[in-house]
Amino acid sequence: MKATGIVVEYNPFHNGHKYHLQKTKELNPNNIIIAVMSGDFVQRGEPSIIDRWTKTKMALANGVDLVIELPVFYSSQSAEIFAKGAVGILEELKCESMVFGSESGKINELKRISTLQESEEFKIKLKERLKSGDSYPTAHSSTMKEILGESELNSNDILGLEYIKAIRYWKSSIIPMTLKREKVGYHDTNIVGDFASATKIREHLKKNEEISSIVTQESFNTLKEYSNFTYMENFYPFIRYELIKNSNNLSDIQDMEIGFENRLLENAIKSINYDEFFKSISNRRYTTGRVQRVLTHTLLALTTNITEEVKKSIPYVRVLGFNSKGREYLSYLKKFDNSKIITSYKKMNENFSPEVCSLIEFNERSSQIYRLINNYNDYKSPIIFKEENNE
């Protein structure tokens, strides 16, 4: 059996995701489609607007065969670590290929740039710009222009470069493929036909505006019944508490730069309102995504030590749901060493080392924190999607 991987957040699942899924199946017509999906916290450092199990149901209803959770110690990170975690999981699952969206749609060009980016000259120039006070996207873009003679790359191209580098990092034989992102960009706030970005859809959901034309029917049916959309500001009292309580240990938090912890603490003490707090800590050096990641890592106590540990190897693979094809593929994987695959936490301490158990518990504790705001029904075993009766 052969499988193709996609890396997704489905925050929430919309028509652009359906297009990605359909094109992936066209490129790999006989392959199982495996989605490695962010759980309750996503790559921009935000809580997911809907919980991981609801996203799993939407993915399966829209045609994904097997849904795997991208643990929070990967899902809430920068593009580099996010990609390493996702690609590493696809490698554990014996994926033959992966398909991702990009603004350029040119896989050979992305491969070329990814190789050049790993030169010492590029790395040195990038570090110099970061030290001078540029944000990562600005420093990255300027270095691209100077060293490679390239124009500015957009979000999905940058993430695509990290997927390609992650394939090399894990010494994987996964074949990367890319689709040109159509009609709307990652952060676009306009609607083109029946396509809109997840950012725009989240705005509509927050304002209780109509979304039926820009999401699939399966997604719409789920979202119209969902009663607890979740946003970053909901967690501000907990973030504020953690900043004050653990002020002496903030330097250990992943992505925390020297001195920034003092800025966070000072403004957490005096800012009652999240919007006021966020404005007071933001500047040109810290992008919105970077600041949100620091806040999420503070909330969850995600440290640099944990991050360094999970960059060394993939600790486990958590199955969230599958259909009949996905079940068949999981059975197929039993022919190989599939000891990292989790479908149940029963006998966890017998099957995994204390270090891996600690990481599993960290991910579950992070979801428990999410459930302080969004108290969803937490499943103990994977969702089984039955195509014949659409369950």
Side-chain angles (χ1 to χ4, degrees), residues 81-281:
I81 301 166
F82 177 93
K84 280 180 178 174
V87 171
I89 290 172
L90 293 178
E91 173 66 12
E92 293 287 345
L93 292 166
K94 310 291 183 186
C95 283
E96 175 191 52
S97 57
M98 71 176 294
V99 180
F100 57 87
S102 65
E103 287 82 6
S104 68
K106 299 176 180 177
I107 192 65
N108 289 332
E109 185 67 4
L110 291 175
K111 286 180 179 179
R112 183 184 73 83
I113 294 171
S114 72
T115 301
L116 293 171
Q117 278 188 345
E118 294 182 328
S119 69
E120 284 305 310
E121 183 184 13
F122 186 92
K123 291 176 182 177
I124 290 169
K125 289 291 186 182
L126 182 62
K127 286 181 180 178
E128 287 175 356
R129 286 193 164 88
L130 291 171
K131 285 182 179 178
S132 73
D134 285 347
S135 67
Y136 183 85
T138 300
H140 187 278
S141 176
S142 300
T143 308
M144 285 280 294
K145 290 177 182 177
E146 179 182 352
I147 304 299
L148 307 180
E150 301 290 342
S151 58
E152 182 177 351
L153 291 176
N154 291 308
S155 301
N156 291 117
D157 274 332
I158 292 172
L159 188 54
L161 291 173
E162 296 301 335
Y163 290 141
I164 293 167
K165 288 191 276 188
I167 288 171
R168 287 201 291 269
Y169 179 84
W170 295 116
K171 297 180 174 58
S172 171
S173 61
I174 290 174
I175 300 168
M177 304 176 181
T178 191
L179 298 170
K180 184 174 176 59
R181 189 171 181 123
E182 300 286 352
K183 298 187 179 181
V184 294
Y186 183 60
H187 298 300
D188 282 357
T189 55
N190 58 313
I191 298 174
V192 180
D194 57 357
F195 283 79
S197 68
T199 301
K200 183 64 174 177
I201 293 169
R202 290 193 295 273
E203 286 181 9
H204 276 273
L205 290 171
K206 196 169 190 178
K207 297 175 183 177
N208 198 28
E209 295 175 344
E210 179 61 40
I211 61 164
S212 60
S213 65
I214 50 178
V215 299
T216 67
Q217 186 62 52
E218 294 86 353
S219 297
F220 179 72
N221 291 341
T222 299
L223 293 170
K224 71 180 181 180
E225 301 296 330
Y226 204 81
S227 60
N228 202 6
F229 297 117
T230 307
Y231 303 95
M232 191 67 170
E233 58 262 33
N234 301 142
F235 291 90
Y236 180 53
F238 303 113
I239 293 170
R240 195 179 181 209
Y241 171 80
E242 289 297 328
L243 287 169
I244 295 171
K245 179 191 173 190
N246 297 316
S247 57
N248 293 330
N249 300 312
L250 292 178
S251 60
D252 297 331
I253 296 297
Q254 171 67 9
D255 286 327
M256 188 76 74
E257 290 194 14
I258 296 173
F260 192 51
E261 72 272 25
N262 298 324
R263 185 186 184 103
L264 289 175
L265 178 60
E266 176 187 345
N267 287 285
I269 291 171
K270 67 182 183 183
S271 299
I272 303 295
N273 177 273
Y274 176 74
D275 289 338
E276 174 191 331
F277 168 74
F278 196 84
K279 287 176 184 176
S280 67
I281 61 173

Side-chain angles (χ1 to χ4, degrees), residues 52-53 56-57 60 65-69 317-323 326-327 330 341-346 377-386 391:
R52 56 183 173 173
W53 296 109
T56 298
K57 291 176 183 177
L60 295 170
D65 297 312
L66 178 59
V67 182
I68 305 295
E69 182 173 20
V317 177
R318 171 81 186 282
V319 179
L320 293 180
F322 51 79
N323 61 17
R327 186 204 296 270
L330 288 172
I341 298 176
I342 298 175
T343 55
S344 170
Y345 287 136
K346 293 178 180 178
N377 180 33
D378 196 23
Y379 290 72
K380 301 304 179 186
S381 58
I383 292 171
I384 302 173
F385 182 80
K386 299 178 182 178
E391 289 180 3

